[in-house]
Amino acid sequence: MAAALAHLLLLLALAAYGPTYAGAAKMKVVEEPNTFGLNNPFLPQTSRLQPKRDPSPVSGPAHLFRLSGKCFSLVESTYKYEFCPFHNVTQHEQTFRWNAYSGILGIWHEWEIANNTFRGMWMRDGDSCHSRSRQSKVELTCGKSNRLAHVSEPSTCVYALTFETPLVCHPHSLLVYPALPTALQQRWDQVEQDLADELITSQGYEKLLRALFQDAGYLKTPEESESTQEGGAQGLVFETLDSCSKAHKELSKEIKRLQSVLTQHGIPYTKPVETSTSEHLGSKIPTDRTAEQLLGSPGLPGNTL
């Protein structure tokens, strides 16, 4: 009896409020998207982040492979940073602006190795930043849980990330030698023996180790890393005359392009004095005699290789 009375009162209340109340009861609350701008999930795929290349294969200590396929985020100020081990690093502006920034700060490239230890993960070939690509170095440190602990930008377009994980708390967890397959371990043993027997120089030792790490997939060869080399002081170091000449031609081409832009906008500039490649290099170009000295003189570092 009481239930029937309650139902009757409910019907009378709905009738009193009329169709407006009934329509309001059908309203649906739509949750707003949690990201905006270029990373808005409602935008077409072509408007989202577009990487320049695929990440390098997973490599390094096998116990870290379980991190592949996972992502870890950190919000600092108005930006959200995401680190996906062996994949990429991204940055997302957390605002409601229609053109909120989202970008790739680097794609998994190679390890940094020093003193038989994996020192960090290099993410290169990120979004363009002036005349270079953004890149990030991720340092792995011991922590109670997997988390992205810190992000900074020590220099323009170069980012430094600290990732904490219990997977690197063991003192031997980041050693290179145990991570190598048996064949490469034996090859390393032979290199150590040759150094001890003074069959190779310290420079030759470093070159052989680097080649070994490249064969293991931990480091990239100069050819593979060519597209990721950035400007600055490191860009002034060339291993061969051909690479130096190539860099000079590319710089000359870029200077002409910039001069054209300035001319189009009526901006005056001082035209540099034209010099040839040989004039730029000066006495650095080896002569036949210096070539013979490099190839044939005993006692020079690296001749034992």
Side-chain angles (χ1 to χ4, degrees):
M1 182 65 179
L5 181 59
H7 182 67
L8 179 59
L9 291 174
L10 178 60
L11 292 176
L12 291 174
L14 288 174
Y17 282 98
T20 302
Y21 182 87
K26 297 179 181 179
M27 290 179 62
K28 180 180 180 182
V29 177
V30 180
E31 293 184 357
E32 61 186 11
N34 57 4
T35 52
F36 305 91
L38 294 179
N39 202 40
N40 192 321
F42 295 101
L43 293 179
Q45 183 64 35
T46 54
S47 298
R48 301 190 197 178
L49 302 181
Q50 297 293 325
K52 295 179 179 179
R53 61 169 177 83
D54 292 331
S56 300
V58 177
S59 65
H63 60 277
L64 296 181
F65 293 0
R66 69 189 72 178
L67 296 175
S68 179
K70 300 178 181 179
C71 294
F72 307 89
S73 62
L74 172 68
V75 176
E76 287 195 352
S77 184
T78 59
Y79 289 99
K80 177 181 180 181
Y81 299 90
E82 281 193 321
F83 167 53
C84 302
F86 304 107
H87 194 68
N88 62 29
V89 174
T90 56
Q91 181 187 45
H92 311 278
E93 185 177 1
Q94 301 295 285
T95 68
F96 289 88
R97 296 192 303 116
W98 69 272
N99 62 341
Y101 173 78
S102 285
I104 299 176
L105 305 186
I107 302 171
W108 164 236
H109 186 67
E110 65 179 351
W111 286 96
E112 179 178 298
I113 297 176
N115 298 324
N116 185 25
T117 305
F118 293 103
R119 292 298 186 186
M121 305 177 70
W122 273 106
M123 308 283 185
R124 305 188 190 274
D125 292 331
D127 288 348
S128 297
C129 180
H130 305 297
S131 61
R132 58 195 299 186
S133 296
R134 300 178 190 273
Q135 59 178 330
S136 302
K137 178 185 175 182
V138 183
E139 180 183 2
L140 306 181
T141 61
C142 175
K144 295 181 179 180
S145 61
N146 296 324
R147 75 182 189 98
L148 183 57
H150 181 66
V151 178
S152 64
E153 187 176 358
S155 60
T156 305
C157 308
V158 179
Y159 303 83
L161 288 75
T162 301
F163 179 71
E164 296 181 355
T165 174
L167 298 176
V168 300
C169 290
H170 191 279
H172 297 164
S173 59
L174 291 176
L175 292 181
V176 177
Y177 187 89
L180 291 169
T182 303
L184 291 181
Q185 288 182 347
Q186 295 174 350
R187 182 170 148 190
W188 193 342
D189 294 340
Q190 186 60 51
V191 171
E192 294 287 350
Q193 187 61 51
D194 290 346
L195 180 64
D197 294 340
E198 299 184 352
L199 298 177
I200 58 175
T201 63
S202 58
Q203 289 181 340
Y205 171 81
E206 295 296 333
K207 290 181 180 179
L208 289 174
L209 276 191
R210 180 171 183 85
L212 190 152
F213 297 153
Q214 290 171 354
D215 291 343
Y218 303 156
L219 301 179
K220 296 297 181 182
T221 63
E223 293 77 14
E224 292 173 319
S225 299
E226 184 176 358
S227 62
T228 66
Q229 290 187 3
E230 306 294 341
Q234 291 184 348
L236 299 176
V237 180
F238 304 100
E239 295 184 356
T240 65
L241 179 59
D242 289 340
S243 63
C244 181
S245 299
K246 182 179 179 181
H248 174 259
K249 291 179 181 178
E250 292 177 350
L251 287 174
S252 299
K253 184 178 179 181
E254 178 65 11
I255 289 173
K256 291 180 179 179
R257 185 189 71 81
L258 294 174
Q259 288 175 347
S260 176
V261 173
L262 292 175
T263 301
Q264 290 176 3
H265 291 80
I267 302 175
Y269 63 90
T270 303
K271 186 175 182 180
V273 179
E274 294 291 337
T275 57
S276 64
T277 304
S278 59
E279 290 174 325
H280 275 296
L281 296 174
S283 60
K284 297 295 184 180
I285 300 179
T287 62
D288 292 340
R289 178 173 179 78
T290 55
E292 291 176 359
Q293 291 174 343
L294 290 173
L295 295 174
S297 298
L300 289 177
N303 281 346
T304 55
L305 289 180

